[in-house]
Amino acid sequence: MTSTAKAGGPGRQPRVPQASRLGTLEFKLYYLVYLVVVPSMAYTAYQASSPARPEYAAYESELSPGWMLGRKVDLTDGQWHTFRQHLPAFAAAMLAYVLLNWVARRATRHRAGGGALPSLWFPGVFATAFVVVLSGASIVFIAALVAGNYALAKRAAGRRWAPWAVWAYNIAVLFANEYGDGYSFGHIHPALAWLDAHRGVLRRWDVTFNITMLRMVSFAMDYHWSKQQQKQQGAPASPPREQSARDRIERSCAESEYCFVNYWAYLLYPPLYMTGPIITFNDFVAQMRRPALPSGRSTALYGVRLAASFLVMELMLHTVHCVA
């Protein structure tokens, strides 16, 4: 489909944005409600987690020593506790990735980009090592599920039933992961039971895999739409050097770029693997093909936002013991 067809056809009038309502009486009432309700909610939760409450003694043993306001911190959520505990190691790994990836990019910047992108070979290799450290022997289960989706996407792309098959497979994977609790080598064969003791830093790999599943769907659907476009219009034109955010999402990649190396690097891309954000496969490949380097100012602001988010999370877990 062309961009015009996606927008509703040449006869459709573009939407004209209305004037902003942010300064109207309606929104001033919203601000007033927000200023009253949200602090009230926070104060209520703070009081409910007070050591003076009679139920505090029943769950105090679940809390850990804190460093804010003289209160204990609620680290009973296993995923956050593991992430927080290994944060220095994760930060060191990400710093090493940035430096080594910069060297790899410099070494491959003049190579052609058909098929597996030169800029994705190192992220793919690093991602494999990174996930092995995180999930240990469970990389076998991750690779099997990922390979199954890749084979299905390649087989079904362009066919009418492809979206149904892709979504059915991936939803079934989520249910199977939940039912099998991340699976067990000992249940497969007693001789493999020793591998269950080597499940990496994040034993619950199936929780993180929920995000990976969305990327699996994105690859399969982008490839499916690319094959449909080829049937209607022939091979997609080479992307222009300058692409908007919408172009990167809607414009299909070259046929050869829907390969396993690009797919693997996209699914396990280290900076985004654990928490996202999620972007489509087409967008990811377009950005890796022609990366736009951020300014020093935007990077510094992002670092400030990251530190502020972490501190807010810590403040909340010290004052609101919701999980415990």
Side-chain angles (χ1 to χ4, degrees), residues 107-108 126 145 174 183 188-189 192 235 248 260 263 280 296 302 307:
T108 60
F126 190 95
L145 297 174
L174 290 188
Y183 311 112
I188 297 174
H189 195 280
L192 301 176
R248 292 197 305 264
F260 191 82
Y263 168 70
T280 68
Y302 196 93

Side-chain angles (χ1 to χ4, degrees), residues 9-304:
R12 182 174 178 178
Q13 296 297 321
R15 293 181 59 186
V16 179
Q18 298 178 350
S20 172
R21 291 182 167 186
L22 294 179
T24 62
L25 177 61
E26 176 187 357
F27 270 72
K28 289 178 180 177
L29 290 174
Y30 295 157
Y31 302 147
L32 178 61
V33 171
Y34 181 89
L35 290 173
V36 173
V37 172
V38 175
S40 175
M41 292 169 57
Y43 182 69
T44 301
Y46 174 79
Q47 280 192 316
S49 303
S50 169
R53 297 280 297 188
E55 61 270 19
Y56 181 84
Y59 69 84
E60 184 180 8
S61 60
E62 301 290 333
L63 303 178
S64 304
W67 61 278
M68 278 186 169
L69 307 176
R71 294 171 65 98
K72 292 188 175 181
V73 60
D74 183 1
L75 299 178
T76 48
D77 178 78
Q79 190 176 11
W80 174 253
H81 176 65
T82 302
F83 177 79
R84 184 181 185 270
Q85 183 181 9
H86 295 91
L87 188 58
F90 290 150
M94 288 300 99
L95 178 61
Y97 171 79
V98 169
L99 296 176
L100 294 174
N101 190 46
W102 180 81
V103 173
R105 278 186 175 278
R106 297 275 295 181
T108 60
R109 66 183 184 276
H110 298 305
R111 297 184 185 178
L117 297 184
S119 58
L120 283 180
W121 277 102
F122 174 75
V125 173
F126 190 95
T128 303
F130 183 65
V131 175
V132 167
V133 172
L134 287 181
S135 304
S138 298
I139 185 69
V140 174
F141 302 127
I142 296 172
L145 297 174
V146 163
N149 182 74
Y150 181 80
L152 175 61
K154 286 291 185 178
R155 174 71 178 84
R159 304 175 186 273
R160 294 179 61 183
W161 47 269
W164 295 95
V166 167
W167 278 101
Y169 173 84
N170 283 278
I171 291 175
V173 163
L174 290 188
F175 276 101
N177 290 351
E178 181 70 20
Y179 179 77
D181 195 22
Y183 311 112
S184 168
F185 287 98
H187 290 162
I188 297 174
H189 195 280
L192 301 176
W194 64 275
L195 290 171
D196 288 322
H198 303 280
R199 303 296 287 264
V201 176
L202 295 178
R203 297 182 61 86
R204 291 296 309 277
W205 65 269
D206 49 303
V207 176
T208 304
F209 196 83
N210 294 343
I211 298 178
T212 305
M213 170 269 200
L214 296 176
R215 298 190 184 101
M216 289 163 59
V217 171
S218 177
F219 170 83
M221 295 306 301
D222 279 354
Y223 185 51
H224 167 65
W225 289 323
S226 173
K227 297 293 285 187
Q228 286 189 324
Q229 185 181 43
Q230 289 180 33
K231 290 180 181 179
Q232 296 173 7
Q233 302 176 0
S238 299
R241 189 155 192 86
E242 297 296 330
Q243 289 183 283
S244 66
R246 182 167 181 172
D247 288 337
R248 292 197 305 264
I249 294 172
E250 296 186 348
R251 190 180 290 272
S252 296
C253 302
E255 170 75 21
S256 60
E257 290 179 330
Y258 293 97
C259 62
F260 191 82
V261 172
N262 292 352
Y263 168 70
W264 180 259
Y266 166 62
L267 295 186
L268 307 182
Y269 188 61
L272 308 181
Y273 174 68
M274 294 177 64
T275 58
I278 304 296
I279 63 174
T280 68
F281 178 81
N282 286 348
D283 192 0
F284 177 80
V285 170
Q287 293 195 52
M288 297 301 290
R289 190 193 301 118
R290 295 192 181 95
L293 297 179
S295 66
R297 181 175 181 273
S298 66
T299 303
L301 288 175
Y302 196 93
V304 171

